[in-house]
Amino acid sequence: MATLLHNRELEAETDENLRARLDPARRPRHVAVIMDGNGRWARQRGLPRIEGHRAGIKSVREIVTTARELEIPFLTLYAFSVENWKRPASEVSALMLLLRNYLWREKKTLLDNGIRLNTIGRVRDLPEPVYRSLEKVIEATAGGRHMTLSVALSYGGRADLLDAVNALVEQARQGTLPPGEITEQRLAAHLSTRGLPDPDLLIRTSGEQRVSNFLLWEIAYAELFITPVLWPDFRRRHLYQALLDYQARERHFGGIGEQRT
Ligand code: FPP
């Protein structure tokens, strides 16, 4: 059985040793990440906030690559929430530019590694050039069979649920959805996460103990891992730590039997 690692023990271990402790048979199918703390990382260094986001991109690259190496089939990253539109226009446009640059630069890596790009959220709200870049990379990587990388953009859990409910109400109004036929499966099929399994593990960086409107429906039985590490400092060893912690847990899914991850 994997044992919970204390921070001091973790710090003393090499990346290779941490990785070797993982049990490939009990890897999660879907890991979701709330990437938080870019602003604090920048402030601690007396830098503008955007430098924190820029540094955060490095962590995105490393975590995508590591998840792929570990053969985790689904990785979902919370990059921009519906609430994030309230940030200063300069920060929003800098984030959009970073996202576009990421797409340009990473397309080849995604293709070479069989990673399919996907988005969740109200992506049509994004500036047209960003939306078009996303569409291009989604189309180019559609054949990726090893991992689905979903980026949450203009995403909100409540907004996504509302959009699904409105779509179902419309079907009911048109008579294509008989009354009483709204099931969990049907609702889930109208969320922007349709086709993705529910996350097994939700990681949040920078120590906040919140879910911040992320995947509200889908995380019903997800295991939570909260680390004080700020997102720009999050490295492969921190992902290994989260996975080791996850593998040491028992999941019950509301039952009483012991179900190991
Ligand atoms: C949270 O930090 C982070 C964000 C709102 C943006 C995350 C975006 C990236 C890492 C870059 C784009 C992503 C991809 C997938 C290419 P914060 O600004 O809320 O930090 P704070 O709470 O310390 O202020």
Side-chain angles (χ1 to χ4, degrees):
M1 173 181 160
T3 47
L4 286 184
L5 279 176
H6 297 293
N7 277 340
R8 248 178 291 119
E9 199 185 339
L10 168 77
E11 278 160 22
E13 285 284 19
T14 62
D15 285 8
E16 291 69 30
N17 283 349
L18 287 172
R19 186 181 166 158
R21 289 194 193 207
L22 289 169
D23 179 354
R26 288 195 291 121
R27 70 187 142 228
R29 273 186 87 200
H30 187 175
V31 175
V33 188
I34 301 177
M35 309 181 288
D36 194 18
N38 295 352
R40 270 160 285 177
W41 185 93
R43 197 170 58 234
Q44 285 171 5
R45 288 161 179 76
L47 296 169
R49 291 177 57 81
I50 188 61
E51 291 306 322
H53 298 314
R54 204 187 305 280
I57 295 273
K58 262 196 190 162
S59 307
V60 169
R61 278 203 210 99
E62 182 157 332
I63 291 330
V64 169
T65 311
T66 309
R68 170 67 189 89
E69 284 166 12
L70 294 174
E71 298 183 31
I72 291 170
F74 296 91
L75 176 68
T76 299
L77 304 177
Y78 202 4
F80 195 85
S81 72
V82 271
E83 290 78 20
N84 286 157
W85 292 113
K86 291 186 280 196
R87 294 192 176 197
S90 56
E91 183 171 342
V92 171
S93 52
L95 272 169
M96 294 299 148
L97 191 61
L98 277 182
L99 176 64
R100 258 191 112 187
N101 286 340
Y102 172 84
L103 294 168
W104 281 326
R105 291 177 57 170
E106 295 306 299
K107 181 171 155 192
K108 186 173 176 331
T109 311
L110 300 179
L111 278 169
D112 290 349
N113 288 285
I115 302 172
R116 178 175 81 93
L117 183 75
N118 177 47
T119 53
I120 58 169
R122 291 176 172 169
V123 277
R124 286 277 24 181
D125 293 350
L126 297 172
E128 196 58 28
V130 180
Y131 179 76
R132 278 203 311 271
S133 302
L134 278 166
E135 287 280 275
K136 270 194 203 139
V137 181
I138 288 172
E139 212 180 292
T141 61
R145 290 286 169 267
H146 295 299
M147 187 170 96
T148 298
L149 168 64
S150 299
V151 184
L153 290 163
S154 194
Y155 178 85
R158 287 183 175 182
D160 213 38
L161 278 162
L162 263 184
D163 291 347
V165 168
N166 278 318
L168 290 170
V169 167
E170 183 57 22
Q171 288 171 23
R173 202 183 60 81
Q174 289 181 1
T176 54
L177 175 66
E181 295 272 312
I182 299 180
T183 59
E184 286 194 10
Q185 286 73 13
R186 197 161 260 144
L187 192 121
H190 287 81
L191 294 170
S192 64
T193 50
R194 63 186 155 270
L196 306 177
D198 285 346
D200 303 293
L201 173 63
L202 173 65
I203 299 173
R204 181 169 189 145
T205 59
S206 96
E208 309 298 343
Q209 319 257 333
R210 300 188 277 273
V211 292
S212 298
N213 200 14
F214 193 40
L215 303 174
L216 295 181
W217 172 274
E218 299 84 345
I219 59 169
Y221 292 103
E223 295 293 326
L224 307 183
F225 181 84
I226 296 169
T227 170
V229 174
L230 304 177
W231 177 250
D233 291 326
F234 195 87
R235 287 292 165 267
R236 60 178 62 231
R237 57 171 38 243
H238 302 112
L239 180 61
Y240 297 149
Q241 181 193 21
L243 295 170
L244 284 166
D245 199 292
Y246 167 83
Q247 293 190 338
R249 300 185 194 183
E250 279 164 11
R251 302 179 76 191
H252 294 236
F253 298 96
I256 52 168
E258 291 187 358
Q259 189 164 342
R260 299 295 308 282
T261 54

